[in-house]
């Protein structure tokens, strides 16, 4: 069931109507049932995997929580020296670590097998071919459960938090199951933490017209971005990306720009729908974007794009990786043999590359995504190394700071770097990406921009006009957001203005949206993750 389908709209309308008429204490039960109904719309077999994740994480969380309580009680009841307390905690942590590893291996194992088996088999077949071995391994035909990457990361974050004794485990299986399966965020995030969501998911929510209106407005804005902008640009991106021999030179630049804009309109539009749907139900999800295309550096961009994933990776992979035993030993070796300054950087280098390898493989089971991730990591490390030079440059030219034109140059530079890296995603291979980037430099011409060639990539003049107007409106709203909530400010306007504005936006979505059969527009890009 896609977010842009008649089925979802009917499902959501019926859910909201029932949600606010049943007794408040039963609302969480309805949400749980609705979430599993939503999940079952993709088939019953994938439900097995989310049930395994839910039950295993819940049971292991209780186990770890009891161990934490037992350790605290033992230390409290016995008079131990500081050294004895330390040694006792270390012994108990080792036991808890084994229980945590069990949960990590099981659930990341499920994710790995379902998502990456064909990737591994394909690489093994490639090796067999190169060494002239006739054996070829047959690819498997497994269904990838909806949102498996999201609910796996979310549940393992919970388990790690319990291991770290950040909060107590949830004893109620139903409440925990709702946290794992809450349907709006199941599709494409945001990834949330249990302590952020527990009270919201199980609390009684009363009918709040303002809150419902704000949620519906957020959903409408998401549909605008998705159906009017993203689903038009996808035609140009597909035409250029799948026909590299025909669309070279200037078309590569067009594809870069279109893909950069499409992926933002698609993903942020989906997040708007998700956050809006949750708000209608009285639940506040964390924001996942903070105007990322206004970033002046690649590092700033990744702090403002898919923020929940970046926070998860930083907290559960970057920090642990930077202080783990092997990296600590590498750091000591580096300080002894490479110098103090370089040795101190080793944890950051290693942890950054690990994080971005995981980020790449999380986005897709193919080498182009791995290289995409590592390339982002390398760019971030290079930016970090160049920071002292940039600081000296700004000290030498203090007048540039705050200049609008210089800020635009920095933003443009950042978007150009990101757009070049993102061509790895839609060209599908490193060699093809490099070939097409080279053709952009050697075969660049302004002719395609003036001879009507841009009307041969799936968009006619009317489509381009709609896209430009949609992007212009998105830009205006983004600029307006810097001064606070757009919906809050619109709500302060006269009633006639408000109704007219939202009615016009609704009509634009209805009349200009790009629709497929049965109102099933193209799937959200991040659904695959």
């Amino acid at each position: 069931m896609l977010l842009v389908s008649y089925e979802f709209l009917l499902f959501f309308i019926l859910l909201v109507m029932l949600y606010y008429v049943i007794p408040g204490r039963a609302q969480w039960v309805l949400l749980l049932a609705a979430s599993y109904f939503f999940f079952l719309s993709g088939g019953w077999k994938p439900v097995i995997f989310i049930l395994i994740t839910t039950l295993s994480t819940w049971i292991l969380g209780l186990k770890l929580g009891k161990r934490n309580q037992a350790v605290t009680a033992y230390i409290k009841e016995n008079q131990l020296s500081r050294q004895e307390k330390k040694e006792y905690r270390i012994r108990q942590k080792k036991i808890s670590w084994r229980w945590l590893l069990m949960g990590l291996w099981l659930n990341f194992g499920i994710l790995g097998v379902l998502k990456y088996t064909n990737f591994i088999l394909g690489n093994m077949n490639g090796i067999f071919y190169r060494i002239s071995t006739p054996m070829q391994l047959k690819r498997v035909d497994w269904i990838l459960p909806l949102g498996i990457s999201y609910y796996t990361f979310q549940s393992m974050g919970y388990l790690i938090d319990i291991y770290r004794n950040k909060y107590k485990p949830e004893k109620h299986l139903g409440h925990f199951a709702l946290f794992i399966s809450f349907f709006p965020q199941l599709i494409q995030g945001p990834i949330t933490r249990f302590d952020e969501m527990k009270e919201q998911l199980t609390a009684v929510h009363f009918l709040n017209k303002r809150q419902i209106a704000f949620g519906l407005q957020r959903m409408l804005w998401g549909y605008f971005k998705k159906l009017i902008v993203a689903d038009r640009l996808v035609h140009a991106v597909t035409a250029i990306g799948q026909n590299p021999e025909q669309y070279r030179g200037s078309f590569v630049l067009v594809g870069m720009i279109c893909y950069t804009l499409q992926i933002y309109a698609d993903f942020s539009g989906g997040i708007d729908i998700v956050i809006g749907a949750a708000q209608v139900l009285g639940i506040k999800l964390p924001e996942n974007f903070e105007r990322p295309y206004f970033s002046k550096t690649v590092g700033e961009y990744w702090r403002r794009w898919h923020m929940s994933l970046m926070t998860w990776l930083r907290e559960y992979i970057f920090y642990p990786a930077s202080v783990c035993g092997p990296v600590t030993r590498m750091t000591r070796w580096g300080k002894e043999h490479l110098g103090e300054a370089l040795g101190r950087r080793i944890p950051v280098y290693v942890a950054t590359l690990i994080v971005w390898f995981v980020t790449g493989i999380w986005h897709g089971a193919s080498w182009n995504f791995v290289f995409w991730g590592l390339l982002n990591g390398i760019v971030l490390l290079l930016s970090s190394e160049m920071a002292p030079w940039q600081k000296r440059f700004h000290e030498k030219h203090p007048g540039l700071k705050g200049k609008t034109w210089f800020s635009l140059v920095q933003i443009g530079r950042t978007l150009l770097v990101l757009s070049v890296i993102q061509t790895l995603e839609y060209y599908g291979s490193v060699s093809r990406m490099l070939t097409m980037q080279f053709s952009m430099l050697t075969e660049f011409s302004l002719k395609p921009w003036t001879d009507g060639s841009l009307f041969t990539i799936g968009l006619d003049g009317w489509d381009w006009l709609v896209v430009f107007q949609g992007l212009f409106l998105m830009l205006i709203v983004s600029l307006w957001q810097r001064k606070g909530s757009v919906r809050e400010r619109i709500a302060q306007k006269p009633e006639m203005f408000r109704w007219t504005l939202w009615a016009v936006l609704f009509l634009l979505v209805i009349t200009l949206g790009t629709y497929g059969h049965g109102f099933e527009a193209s799937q959200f890009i991040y659904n695959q993750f």
Side-chain angles (χ1 to χ4, degrees), residues 29-128:
V29 179
L30 177 62
L31 283 184
L32 180 60
S35 296
Y36 271 86
F37 176 82
F38 185 88
F39 202 87
L40 280 166
S41 67
W44 66 269
K45 291 182 180 179
V47 177
I48 296 173
F49 298 108
I50 194 172
L51 285 174
I52 292 173
T53 294
T54 300
L55 288 171
S56 64
T57 306
W58 180 68
I59 292 170
L60 289 170
L62 291 175
K63 180 70 176 180
L64 290 170
K66 287 180 180 179
R67 289 199 57 78
N68 290 337
Q69 288 181 335
V71 169
T72 302
Y74 180 84
I75 292 175
K76 187 176 181 180
E77 294 168 2
N78 296 272
Q79 294 183 348
L80 304 175
S81 66
R82 178 177 297 180
Q83 183 62 28
E84 288 174 332
K85 289 180 182 179
K86 181 180 179 181
E87 292 175 354
Y88 177 74
R89 284 197 176 98
I90 291 175
R91 290 197 304 270
Q92 297 305 314
K93 272 293 182 183
K94 288 181 179 178
I95 299 173
S96 295
W97 173 245
R98 297 189 192 113
W99 289 104
L100 174 63
L101 276 182
M102 186 186 302
L104 296 177
W105 276 110
L106 172 63
N107 290 287
F108 281 128
I110 292 173
L111 173 63
V113 169
L114 293 179
K115 193 170 181 178
Y116 303 109
T117 296
N118 282 330
F119 174 59
I120 295 171
L121 293 177
N123 281 283
M124 292 179 67
N125 286 335
I127 294 172
F128 294 152

